[in-house]
Amino acid sequence: MTAQELYDRLKVIQPGSVLCNYSYETCERMIPVINEIQELKKQHNAVILAHSYVAPEIIMSVADYEGDSFKLSQDATKVNADMIVFAAVRFMGETAKILNPSKEVLIPGSLIGCSLADSITGDEVRALRQKYPDHTFVCYINTTADVKSECDVCVTSSNVMHIVSRLDNDKIVFLPDRLMGQNLQAELIKNGIQKKIILHSGTCYVHEQYDPEMIRFFREQNSGLRVVSHPECHPGVALLSDFVGSTGQMIKYIKEAPAHTPFLLLTECGLSARLQTELPNKTFIGSCSMCRYMKSNSLDNILKTLRHPEKAMKIEMDESLRKKAKKCIDAMFHYAAL
Ligand code: 13P
Ligand code: SF4
């Protein structure tokens, strides 16, 4: 890839923040890093998986697989490589390790975390299981391996409704995302499905900041605006949205809309940046809400990880924990296919 080719793809991104302000010179500086990453990938027989929220230059230059958390967890089962470098957040790297125990899984991000995954521990789930012994425990994929190992089935934003509506039990504990749980309750009621759902208190600090007032404001300013939001947003936001779905489902919805439709994307700004380059005939307006954990991945960190992986970048897991957590993920694949 040349600096000009990279610049041509990145220059269309409207800078919501300095991180997205690409010049030809910035792209020129990235090229030697990109070339060395590509070389090291060959040497280590490595592949790079990248979530749509990471910096767009990662997706555009070195990623082998990109997408939402469900697609990436499926991709992780198909990877034919000795090493997986997962540009995303730690729980996604753990999911890849659970599914590929013999492969080296590395996470280049410098900030370990996710406000949802950090909101509940395995010990808290063990205590909840004592309190609700006859409930089915459903966890969002944004959880640690320890939490997954204590739950019956895991879901992602793309399949939460599909899976919960297919569970035999009508008593559910859903954790940790309270807002996604409320959206799920509303959706089940709308579809005439009776389930009693106990919620936890976790939220995504990026998605919880959107409010219905903001949607009204943007609609007044932009005629024909379509509002697309993530199920981690408040139910009031979901209610006023034209479409609610995972990042992968949002991409599909936007691609299928007529040319020149203006969109307000209520999700992490990496997705808008990516779509501005991939879908030049659509208009994206709105704010820049950044996830500091996703954005702690960079081309430089990926290069460092491939050159000399530090201990903190390697995902290691006790085998009995891995097997227990895998059951929860396997249950997701089972229900998702029904
Ligand atoms: P997706 O399931 O849409 O990839 O979302 C993951 C996530 O972390 C959203 O904040
Ligand atoms: Fe976690 Fe929110 Fe960042 Fe997604 S956007 S990784 S849920 S903190």
Side-chain angles (χ1 to χ4, degrees):
M1 171 176 272
T2 64
Q4 189 62 50
E5 283 165 348
L6 185 60
Y7 179 57
D8 285 344
R9 298 197 71 185
L10 295 172
K11 69 182 180 192
V12 295
I13 298 172
Q14 296 153 21
S17 91
V18 283
L19 274 187
C20 292
N21 207 348
Y22 297 98
S23 65
Y24 176 79
E25 289 68 34
T26 333
C27 295
E28 218 174 14
R29 279 197 296 278
M30 288 178 194
I31 295 299
V33 181
I34 292 169
N35 288 343
E36 193 177 342
I37 291 174
Q38 298 291 25
E39 193 45 48
L40 287 168
K41 267 165 62 176
K42 278 189 223 142
Q43 275 179 31
H44 295 302
N45 190 22
V47 291
I48 298 180
L49 272 59
H51 191 273
S52 294
Y53 292 165
V54 299
E57 64 268 24
I58 297 177
I59 295 185
M60 258 141 245
S61 65
V62 296
D64 300 288
Y65 299 88
E66 71 275 325
D68 66 16
S69 49
F70 185 60
K71 177 183 175 291
L72 289 171
S73 59
Q74 284 177 316
D75 291 340
T77 63
K78 299 174 199 145
V79 163
N80 183 15
D82 299 321
M83 184 187 277
I84 299 173
V85 178
F86 211 140
V89 281
R90 189 181 175 88
F91 74 81
M92 293 192 190
E94 282 189 350
T95 304
K97 184 69 184 177
I98 291 164
L99 297 169
N100 294 277
S102 64
K103 299 191 168 90
E104 172 124 74
V105 179
L106 302 167
I107 43 165
S110 57
L111 275 181
I112 305 290
C114 157
S115 66
L116 278 171
D118 297 341
S119 70
I120 188 159
T121 63
D123 282 343
E124 285 173 289
V125 184
R126 286 182 269 279
L128 283 169
R129 287 218 86 129
Q130 305 256 315
K131 197 168 166 194
Y132 301 108
D134 56 349
H135 284 55
T136 296
F137 275 60
V138 181
C139 64
Y140 188 26
I141 198 158
N142 295 36
T143 44
T144 61
D146 197 18
V147 166
K148 287 188 182 78
S149 74
E150 294 299 329
C151 291
D152 301 301
V153 58
C154 147
V155 297
T156 73
S157 51
S158 68
N159 59 28
V160 50
M161 176 66 190
H162 180 94
I163 291 180
V164 173
S165 60
R166 278 160 182 77
L167 296 174
D168 279 344
N169 199 346
D170 57 5
K171 291 192 202 111
I172 309 283
V173 172
F174 179 78
L175 47 89
D177 191 341
R178 175 172 51 84
L179 300 175
M180 181 178 281
Q182 288 171 353
N183 284 320
L184 169 67
Q185 282 171 325
E187 203 55 28
L188 288 168
I189 291 169
K190 213 164 87 188
N191 286 282
I193 301 170
Q194 300 277 334
K195 301 255 181 222
K196 194 174 162 298
I197 303 184
I198 309 285
L199 299 177
H200 184 66
S201 58
T203 53
C204 162
Y205 86 101
V206 176
H207 289 91
E208 73 175 343
Q209 64 186 293
Y210 304 122
D211 62 40
E213 202 40 58
M214 183 179 171
I215 299 182
R216 285 189 201 101
F217 171 80
F218 276 103
R219 282 206 198 277
E220 271 167 28
Q221 313 292 319
N222 301 274
S223 76
L225 183 70
R226 288 207 199 170
V227 179
V228 176
S229 67
H230 197 276
E232 290 170 15
C233 296
H234 281 277
V237 167
L239 202 65
L240 292 184
S241 298
D242 297 287
F243 181 79
V244 183
S246 73
T247 47
Q249 290 166 332
M250 287 180 190
I251 295 174
K252 185 169 179 291
Y253 174 79
I254 293 165
K255 275 188 181 161
E256 286 166 3
H260 309 299
T261 307
F263 287 98
L264 172 65
L265 258 66
L266 298 181
T267 193
E268 212 273 353
C269 56
L271 189 70
S272 313
R274 184 181 158 190
L275 294 183
Q276 279 167 27
T277 72
E278 291 177 12
L279 304 174
N281 69 351
K282 304 276 159 54
T283 309
F284 298 94
I285 56 149
S287 62
C288 178
S289 316
M290 229 185 270
C291 170
R292 59 178 171 264
Y293 307 108
M294 290 283 189
K295 289 294 191 281
S296 76
N297 291 274
S298 65
L299 287 172
D300 287 340
N301 285 349
I302 293 174
L303 180 57
K304 246 194 260 169
T305 308
L306 281 163
R307 273 186 187 154
H308 310 289
E310 288 164 20
K311 195 166 166 36
M313 295 166 172
K314 291 186 189 174
I315 303 277
E316 278 159 352
M317 202 176 291
D318 176 79
E319 186 55 11
S320 65
L321 170 69
R322 189 193 70 80
K323 281 190 178 147
K324 274 181 86 185
K326 185 167 182 295
K327 274 194 195 157
C328 178
I329 298 172
D330 286 344
M332 169 177 78
F333 290 132
H334 166 78
Y335 281 104
L338 289 182

